């Protein structure tokens, strides 16, 4: 029995060692996150950007198997307003993202499923905003030649307690926040 156990451990070790694992660092200056929030019943929206702090993508035998991305929430901006004036200052404060208390958001890929017939990936990830971690799903477009990934997804802001302290005004804002990310490795 002991000999069988030793053989099993050795075979498992060789299998793990034989896997070709690579880590690709995110090029933060060439990557970006665009966000969009809108009102529930108005044809109006706010668009902006927020920067990556760092990140990496892990592959095993050429297949994406994981990754972690850190977002610098203090860089959140709104295209229509100057920093600190209007909605930008407001979305940075405790009513929404509370960036002074929670300066980073983190997305960690937890599972990847590859559909070879469609050449598509389904990714599940844990997204932490304001210290609250919830699962998200997205289907990225991957450009292997240029080492680039395009990710689009929406979240329900209320799951992360991103709410306005005024009930009437909070209900005027759509619960959905859209993200479009270009990740360059």
């Amino acid at each position: 029995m002991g000999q069988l156990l030793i053989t099993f451990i050795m075979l498992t070790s060789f299998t793990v060692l034989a896997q070709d694992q690579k880590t690709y660092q995110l090029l933060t200056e060439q990557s970006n996150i665009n966000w969009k929030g809108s009102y529930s019943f108005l044809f109006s929206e706010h668009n902006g950007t927020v920067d990556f702090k760092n990140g990496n993508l892990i592959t095993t035998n050429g297949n994406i198997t994981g990754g972690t991305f850190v977002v610098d929430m203090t860089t959140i901006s709104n295209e229509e307003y100057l920093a600190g004036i209007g909605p930008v200052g407001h979305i940075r404060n405790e009513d929404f993202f509370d960036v002074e208390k929670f300066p980073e958001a983190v997305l960690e890929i937890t599972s990847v499923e590859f559909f070879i017939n469609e050449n598509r990936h389904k990714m599940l990830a844990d997204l932490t905003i304001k210290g609250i971690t919830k699962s998200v799903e997205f289907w990225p477009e991957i450009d292997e030649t240029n080492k680039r990934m395009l990710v689009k997804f929406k979240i329900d802001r209320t799951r992360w307690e991103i709410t306005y302290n005024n009930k009437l005004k909070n209900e005027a804002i759509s619960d959905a926040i859209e993200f479009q990310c270009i990740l360059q490795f």
Side-chain angles (χ1 to χ4, degrees), residues 8-43:
F8 176 74
I9 291 171
M10 287 178 59
L11 286 173
T12 304
S13 298
F14 290 134
T15 302
V16 171
L17 291 174
Q19 293 183 352
D20 180 26
Q21 189 173 62
K22 292 183 180 176
T23 301
Y24 297 89
Q25 294 303 313
L26 181 70
L27 301 175
T28 57
E29 295 297 318
Q30 298 173 28
S31 302
N32 63 56
I33 304 170
N34 293 296
W35 63 268
K36 179 168 51 174
S38 59
Y39 293 98
S40 296
F41 299 104
L42 297 174
F43 293 105

Side-chain angles (χ1 to χ4, degrees), residues 50-172:
V50 63
D51 296 336
F52 285 104
K53 190 171 190 176
N54 60 57
N56 64 57
L57 191 69
I58 301 167
T59 64
T60 304
N61 295 329
N63 298 311
I64 299 170
T65 55
T68 303
F69 304 92
V70 179
V71 177
D72 182 355
M73 295 301 294
T74 66
T75 65
I76 195 164
S77 68
N78 186 318
E79 293 173 1
E80 291 89 14
Y81 298 90
L82 299 174
I85 300 173
V88 169
H90 196 131
I91 62 176
R92 287 181 181 176
N93 75 22
E94 61 278 351
D95 281 340
F96 289 98
F97 291 102
D98 198 359
V99 300
E100 188 172 311
K101 188 174 178 183
F102 303 100
E104 295 178 346
V106 178
L107 184 130
E108 183 173 355
I109 298 171
T110 56
S111 74
V112 181
E113 189 173 355
F114 181 61
F115 297 90
I116 196 163
N117 294 340
E118 301 174 29
N119 194 26
R120 293 188 66 195
H121 292 79
K122 173 185 172 184
M123 295 187 182
L124 298 178
D126 286 340
L127 176 60
T128 303
I129 302 174
K130 292 178 65 173
I132 301 167
T133 303
K134 301 287 182 183
S135 182
V136 294
E137 176 183 313
F138 51 92
W139 295 74
E141 295 176 28
I142 297 173
D143 178 354
E144 290 180 48
T145 305
N146 295 308
K147 295 185 174 129
R148 184 177 302 138
M149 188 164 60
L150 174 64
V151 178
K152 296 179 184 180
F153 66 98
K154 292 182 183 183
I155 64 167
D156 176 346
R157 66 183 174 85
T158 63
R159 292 179 64 210
W160 285 269
E161 297 179 13
I162 303 166
T163 56
Y164 192 21
N165 67 7
N166 180 306
K167 184 174 173 26
L168 181 62
K169 289 182 180 181
N170 188 57
E171 294 198 8

